[in-house]
Amino acid sequence: GVCPLGSIPISKDQHYQHIMQEAAWTHMPHPSDSERIRQYLMRNPCPTLPFHHQMPPPHSDSVEFYQRLSTETLFFIFYYLEGTKAQYLAAKALKKQSWRFHTKYMMWFQRHEEPKTITDEFEQ
Amino acid sequence: DRHHGGPNFMMHSGISQASEYDDPPGLREKAEYLLREWVNLYHSAAAGRDSTKAFSAFVGQMHQQGILKTDDLITRFFRLCTEMCVEISYRAQAEQQHNPAANGAIIRAKCYHNLDAFVRLIALLVKHSGEATNTVTKINLLNKVLGIVVGVLIQDHDVRQADFQQLPYHRIFIMLLLELNAPEHVLETINFQTLTAFCNTFHILRPTKAPGFVYAWLELISHRIFIARMLAHTPQQKGWPMYAQLLIDLFKFLAPFLRNVELNKPMQILYKGTLRVLLVLLHDFPEFLCDYHYGFCDVIPPNCIQLRNLILSAFPRNMRLPDPFTPNLKVDMLSEINIAPRILTNFTGVMPSQFKKDLDSYLKTRSPVTFLSELRSNLQVSNEPGNRYNIQLINALVLYVGTQAIAHIHNKGSTPSMSTITHSAHMDIFQNLAVDLDTEGRYLFLNAIANQLRYPNSHTHYFSCTMLYLFAEANAEAIQEQITRVLLERLIVNRPHPWGLLITFIELIKNPAFKFWSHDFVHCAPEIEKLFQSVAQCCMGQKQA
């Protein structure tokens, strides 16, 4: 059987441990408990049907993957997933596609045509 | 370092100060005002990177309120803040219960809002306490604060019992761990002491002490940053013994329930979590499991086959294991077979000093014979069935005698083999145990041997030969049946299977010298016979597959 030595009596302490553990089980830690706060996209676990993708595709955490995403998707990731690796990868992908971030306007810019004036301080 | 002023002293004084309620009048109000101020500052736009701007303003306020005057007041301030954060979490939880339609994510965010601010305050105070190079004050403060949070947790746990909530403490610990592991020079210099402080904290809160915290506890010790820091980042493997202690704490908690197969839903979930952590460790840090396998197997109950197989299957990453199914595999030709594995558990310490003395003297002189006849009573501790033996002592005896035997054979200028291991004081002890012990004792004894059947090394080889020799020389079929049982039950479970275990079992059924197939127990029942045939096919019919 699965219990070759037979069972041993559970002590009073162990009984108490069992009860406390059962109580703890009714409010298990939530995945977001050990993560930084997400302002916009909070984790919201719910049952999903088994024929849907339960996991993202492999290698979707590489810059190459991010470069295949649309600019809108990258902007979305950049503004809505602040302070994450995803934001870093999105910024990298945007930069590779010659977008530049303006730290005062907090926006991404791309050249529409060659600038009319280019100096060491600015371009226009 | 329990001495006055050491980090451990600071933690324990923090724990005891968590239950002092004789606060000077008005302190609670001050703390409440300050914490609220800080939470607002922390979330304000002008806080600056890492809240540094807000912090320098806030320290001024703390001075003004007289909180920073004495250590005692600072301690009380931390305790009151912890209690307030916890209180806020309970209130949020109650709100959710009264109004189930409320958005759970928003309620949790409310808790995080306060807890994260408090954690940042702790991290900044630790970072900026004393001079930049004064690591002692920083570490002392950290231990003090951790001690206070532990003290508040234990009290809360004891008072609220089944209503105890893990969330606030879980968040404080994990966020503080992440803050203090940021890539900054000041933090890097105190990183090892920081990890030590957290290990001590987690050890004090082990599940046998705070069972209502067990799920958060397992998440804390299996957090990717914590594992990476403890097992990979810290040089000279200095984090390994502390991490091994935490795993032993986990196994000790699980042991009585796993042994009794009392697995309700909550226990099953915890068990699954344990399996996952072990799988991660087996994949990423197999050397760690190798080095501490003895200590782990000592606390895992004998019926937990798979849990133990995970640990025993670990082998050093630079090693290539020959396929056990290769026909005519010559195990004694492998070069690794002469190298002893590292055992980082002090297993001889389990033996009472007089027993160890008698044992050593017997191994040396092979006398008196009374040592053998008294062995059984030395190992037996009670008459309760299922609880008769001191399992730790059996394990220690088996490994000690085996390692002594290997050294003895090497000293004689030869290597352990089926012929060199026989007719010695060491084998006397093993044969005597096989014959003299009752079924329960023999089961534990054979398990202690099987626990050494791992990757190619001198212990695996020696104990593999010993197991086969005990089978061949057995004077009763019951012994052979039990040897088969111990080997088989470790192989019919799902993978992984330790290499040495497979090698030993294949040798047993393949080598005609053991006359394995002529034994009655192989044919005792049709389903058993079928089982043997399928295992044999699995072990020997690999060529066709």
Side-chain angles (χ1 to χ4, degrees):
Chain A
V2 278
C3 195
L5 298 178
S7 58
I8 41 168
I10 290 287
S11 71
K12 222 177 130 193
D13 275 354
Q14 288 160 350
H15 183 68
Y16 164 74
Q17 288 165 19
H18 207 143
I19 288 179
M20 286 301 280
Q21 189 206 347
E22 261 179 316
W25 174 70
T26 58
H27 28 75
M28 293 269 275
H30 192 272
S32 60
D33 285 356
S34 46
E35 288 176 346
R36 297 229 167 272
I37 291 187
R38 293 200 200 170
Q39 234 33 287
Y40 305 104
L41 300 169
M42 284 168 274
R43 271 185 194 273
N44 186 16
C46 49
T48 50
L49 292 167
F51 48 82
H52 289 294
H53 290 290
Q54 306 290 320
M55 273 192 300
H59 309 297
S60 55
D61 53 353
S62 61
V63 197
E64 291 73 32
F65 182 88
Y66 276 69
Q67 280 184 279
R68 302 213 310 264
L69 302 174
S70 70
T71 322
E72 285 76 14
T73 310
L74 294 175
F75 287 152
F76 176 79
I77 295 172
F78 186 84
Y79 290 108
Y80 284 80
L81 285 168
E82 208 186 318
T84 62
K85 187 175 176 193
Q87 187 195 36
Y88 170 76
L89 290 171
K92 256 191 133 158
L94 281 168
K95 217 175 152 203
K96 278 201 172 182
Q97 291 163 32
S98 10
W99 286 89
R100 295 290 176 267
F101 188 64
H102 196 296
T103 50
K104 192 174 147 201
Y105 298 122
M106 303 297 257
M107 278 198 282
W108 291 87
F109 289 88
Q110 196 182 38
R111 282 179 181 173
H112 209 54
E113 55 192 52
E114 250 329 273
K116 295 192 179 67
T117 43
I118 299 183
T119 72
D120 283 352
E121 268 78 48
F122 67 90
E123 300 175 359
Q124 210 167 25
Chain B
D1 51 2
R2 270 280 174 89
H3 62 87
H4 196 84
N8 252 339
F9 173 83
M10 293 311 269
M11 182 169 295
H12 285 276
S13 78
I15 294 175
S16 56
Q17 276 163 348
S19 54
E20 282 169 15
Y21 285 110
D22 52 338
D23 290 329
L27 187 66
R28 173 171 285 274
E29 291 71 23
K30 267 187 199 171
E32 213 170 314
Y33 164 75
L34 283 169
L35 181 66
R36 206 172 311 128
E37 273 295 295
W38 171 251
V39 173
N40 290 337
L41 276 173
Y42 171 77
H43 290 285
S44 72
R49 224 187 137 89
D50 297 333
S51 328
T52 36
K53 264 191 214 151
F55 182 65
S56 36
F58 186 69
V59 169
Q61 286 198 38
M62 282 181 86
H63 262 299
Q64 244 174 30
Q65 299 285 337
I67 296 289
L68 300 176
K69 250 187 244 158
T70 62
D71 277 354
D72 178 61
L73 279 174
I74 299 174
T75 309
R76 287 174 191 277
F77 173 73
F78 280 124
R79 193 199 79 231
L80 288 165
C81 285
T82 310
E83 287 171 356
M84 285 184 271
C85 286
V86 168
E87 204 46 54
I88 290 168
S89 301
Y90 276 104
R91 255 181 278 146
Q93 226 85 37
E95 200 181 311
Q96 166 106 73
Q97 262 164 12
H98 285 297
N99 180 13
N103 187 336
I106 291 174
I107 287 188
R108 260 192 308 278
K110 203 189 257 175
C111 302
Y112 301 162
H113 186 82
N114 291 285
L115 291 164
D116 290 5
F118 180 44
V119 166
R120 175 65 56 79
L121 180 63
I122 299 172
L124 286 168
L125 282 167
V126 167
K127 240 182 358 193
H128 293 109
S129 69
E131 298 290 308
T133 51
N134 187 347
T135 56
V136 178
T137 34
K138 295 185 209 310
I139 288 303
N140 278 351
L141 181 62
L142 174 63
N143 277 282
K144 187 75 155 202
V145 176
L146 285 173
I148 289 165
V149 180
V150 168
V152 174
L153 189 158
I154 291 173
Q155 280 217 334
D156 190 19
H157 186 272
D158 289 351
V159 171
R160 302 217 198 212
Q161 299 273 332
D163 294 325
F164 173 77
Q165 295 282 351
Q166 313 168 72
L167 186 144
Y169 308 99
H170 182 197
R171 184 102 182 153
I172 290 176
F173 287 131
I174 196 63
M175 286 299 151
L176 190 57
L177 184 78
L178 296 182
E179 292 268 351
L180 297 179
N181 277 294
E184 276 176 65
H185 180 70
V186 205
L187 297 176
E188 303 275 358
T189 54
I190 56 168
N191 190 251
F192 181 66
Q193 288 113 303
T194 302
L195 293 174
T196 308
F198 274 96
C199 280
N200 287 338
T201 303
F202 297 160
H203 179 61
I204 295 170
L205 295 175
R206 60 193 176 276
T208 43
K209 296 285 173 207
F213 190 59
V214 60
Y215 294 102
W217 187 88
L218 184 58
E219 287 221 355
L220 287 168
I221 71 156
S222 61
H223 193 277
R224 63 196 167 82
I225 304 268
F226 187 60
I227 292 186
R229 288 277 166 169
M230 292 301 295
L231 298 182
H233 188 278
T234 306
Q236 294 150 2
Q237 303 178 348
K238 277 199 290 183
W240 286 25
M242 293 192 283
Y243 198 76
Q245 179 59 54
L246 294 176
L247 281 185
I248 288 175
D249 290 338
L250 175 62
F251 295 143
K252 276 190 178 160
F253 173 76
L254 289 169
F257 308 108
L258 291 180
R259 185 194 150 135
N260 283 2
V261 206
E262 259 177 44
L263 297 174
N264 56 359
K265 195 85 205 272
M267 197 54 81
Q268 282 175 29
I269 292 205
L270 193 66
Y271 175 71
K272 245 190 211 161
T274 307
L275 282 185
R276 283 194 187 180
V277 178
L278 277 179
L279 268 175
V280 168
L281 294 174
L282 178 64
H283 184 269
D284 289 359
F285 304 98
E287 292 89 356
F288 168 73
L289 290 184
C290 278
D291 287 356
Y292 290 92
H293 92 283
Y294 182 87
F296 297 152
C297 286
D298 229 17
V299 287
I300 294 176
N303 61 328
C304 299
I305 310 282
Q306 188 163 37
L307 207 55
R308 213 175 27 221
N309 270 359
L310 278 171
I311 289 159
L312 299 180
S313 299
F315 60 91
R317 256 170 297 193
N318 57 5
M319 198 178 262
R320 300 268 307 139
L321 301 196
D323 181 2
F325 303 109
T326 323
N328 303 320
L329 177 68
K330 290 278 177 287
V331 175
D332 27 349
M333 302 300 280
L334 298 172
S335 59
E336 292 94 350
I337 229 66
N338 295 312
I339 302 168
R342 271 212 302 186
I343 308 283
L344 291 183
T345 311
N346 169 26
F347 58 92
T348 50
V350 179
M351 295 190 248
S353 57
Q354 188 55 46
F355 177 72
K356 171 100 179 348
K357 241 185 235 162
D358 295 346
L359 173 63
D360 281 329
S361 139
Y362 182 82
L363 290 178
K364 217 172 188 176
T365 61
R366 219 175 166 180
S367 68
V369 199
T370 49
F371 175 77
L372 293 178
S373 51
E374 281 160 14
L375 248 187
R376 179 178 170 162
S377 56
N378 274 315
L379 300 176
Q380 197 164 342
V381 286
S382 80
N383 274 321
E384 277 169 64
N387 222 358
R388 281 205 187 93
Y389 291 92
N390 181 344
I391 300 181
Q392 275 76 26
L393 186 56
I394 294 183
N395 290 340
L397 175 71
V398 166
L399 184 57
Y400 181 70
V401 171
T403 50
Q404 292 297 307
I406 296 168
H408 181 69
I409 295 165
H410 278 300
N411 277 343
K412 286 200 299 188
S414 69
T415 50
S417 71
M418 282 304 270
S419 52
T420 55
I421 61 167
T422 62
H423 306 297
S424 65
H426 312 87
M427 193 49 85
D428 286 351
I429 292 176
F430 287 151
Q431 283 190 292
N432 186 72
L433 288 174
V435 174
D436 202 32
L437 289 175
D438 58 10
T439 315
E440 181 182 329
R442 203 184 300 122
Y443 182 69
L444 296 170
F445 163 61
L446 294 171
N447 265 310
I449 295 183
N451 285 350
Q452 310 305 326
L453 304 176
R454 300 187 291 152
Y455 60 92
N457 63 50
S458 64
H459 292 184
T460 298
H461 185 51
Y462 174 81
F463 283 105
S464 176
C465 292
T466 302
M467 194 72 117
L468 293 169
Y469 181 75
L470 289 176
F471 187 94
E473 293 295 308
N475 59 357
E477 198 163 64
I479 301 175
Q480 295 171 320
E481 181 177 346
Q482 240 182 335
I483 292 176
T484 311
R485 184 233 161 100
V486 165
L487 294 175
L488 189 70
E489 76 177 355
R490 290 176 183 228
L491 288 173
I492 53 174
V493 296
N494 285 330
R495 286 190 307 166
H497 303 127
W499 181 87
L501 188 72
L502 269 170
I503 288 285
T504 309
F505 190 70
I506 291 171
E507 183 66 15
L508 187 65
I509 58 174
K510 251 183 167 177
N511 192 335
F514 296 111
K515 301 196 188 71
F516 180 79
W517 300 104
S518 67
H519 290 290
D520 281 342
F521 60 83
V522 181
H523 309 285
C524 65
E527 60 268 29
I528 301 270
E529 200 169 353
K530 249 199 197 139
L531 177 70
F532 274 114
Q533 276 162 3
S534 70
V535 173
Q537 244 167 32
C538 192
C539 289
M540 302 196 288
Q542 285 282 305
K543 284 156 275 172
Q544 296 104 312

